[in-house]
Amino acid sequence: MSVVLPSGFETVKLSAIFKKVSRRNNKSEIKNVITNSAEYGLIPQRDFFDKDIAVDGNTSNYYVIEQGDFVYNPRKSNTAPYGPFNRYEREERGIISPLYTCLVLQADIEPSYLAWYFKSDAWYRYIYDNGSQGVRHDRVSMTDDLLMGIPVIIPSKEAQLKIAKLLDCLESRFQTELSQYESLKSIRVALLQQLFI
């Protein structure tokens, strides 16, 4: 069944807009090991695990990622049932396990639009229909051909910017409200404790 897209939208394959990262940490010079978390995005491994998991001297085969690169992690989770697909936003170069697929954008597409696109479920059906569960139940078995065949819906440049800006604003508002909620919860607990002293 084909989806009818609104005027000005097109569908392209991932391979038409990305190429795989080939940069390797050959001399093990970069120590900033990055993990791809479904909940927190691409963050330093030390922040996520409170320690470095990668053993010093054993990172020469790791990919080097730079600001703007995208990384796909085939590990499934509740918030990313087909694995997280995130954009690296930090200025400091990082290294990431060769178990992940690292991609560099090669097309004139708004990166923040693509970051939101991959946080959506718009590409799940393709993986569901074409992927396999592989040997491990907690990972998507993802060949390069399957990954590079993911369909990406692209609106006009103007629409990309509007969509990304709207979603950025909503996310910012959500985080502000969440922070206020957590503060109010803390105040409530403190007041209840004082009430019964």
Side-chain angles (χ1 to χ4, degrees), residues 19-101:
K19 75 171 186 178
K20 288 184 73 175
V21 167
S22 58
R23 301 179 296 264
R24 298 280 186 162
N25 194 32
N26 293 330
K27 297 178 182 176
S28 298
E29 292 172 346
I30 300 172
K31 305 295 183 193
N32 181 28
V33 181
I34 303 298
T35 194
N36 191 359
S37 158
E39 189 174 352
Y40 303 107
L42 290 159
I43 60 171
Q45 197 176 71
R46 181 175 282 122
D47 293 353
F48 191 70
F49 296 107
D50 291 328
K51 62 180 179 177
D52 286 326
I53 304 298
V55 179
D56 279 343
N58 194 25
T59 60
S60 62
N61 201 33
Y62 277 43
Y63 289 111
V64 175
I65 57 172
E66 298 176 348
Q67 188 176 41
D69 289 348
F70 284 75
V71 179
Y72 173 69
N73 175 1
R75 182 178 288 276
K76 300 184 222 175
S77 70
N78 289 337
T79 54
Y82 291 96
F85 204 136
N86 292 304
R87 182 173 175 234
Y88 187 59
E89 304 206 14
R90 296 169 184 257
E91 289 183 16
E92 182 185 3
R93 292 170 59 176
I95 54 173
I96 199 155
S97 167
L99 296 174
Y100 300 157
T101 301

Side-chain angles (χ1 to χ4, degrees), residues 12 25 29 31 34 49 57 65 115 147 160 162 164 169 173 182:
V12 298
N25 194 32
E29 292 172 346
K31 305 295 183 193
I34 303 298
F49 296 107
I65 57 172
L147 180 77
Q160 292 170 37
K162 284 181 179 177
C169 287
R173 179 64 185 266
E182 294 299 330

Side-chain angles (χ1 to χ4, degrees), residues 120-159:
S120 79
D121 63 1
W123 54 284
Y124 289 1
R125 186 74 206 183
Y126 169 81
I127 303 301
Y128 177 81
D129 288 343
N130 298 288
S132 67
Q133 301 307 312
V135 177
R136 294 178 55 168
H137 71 283
D138 63 340
R139 290 183 182 272
V140 178
S141 181
M142 182 72 74
T143 64
D144 281 353
D145 286 344
L146 177 64
L147 180 77
M148 296 311 263
I150 290 175
V152 182
I153 299 170
I154 307 292
S156 69
K157 189 74 169 183
E158 181 183 358

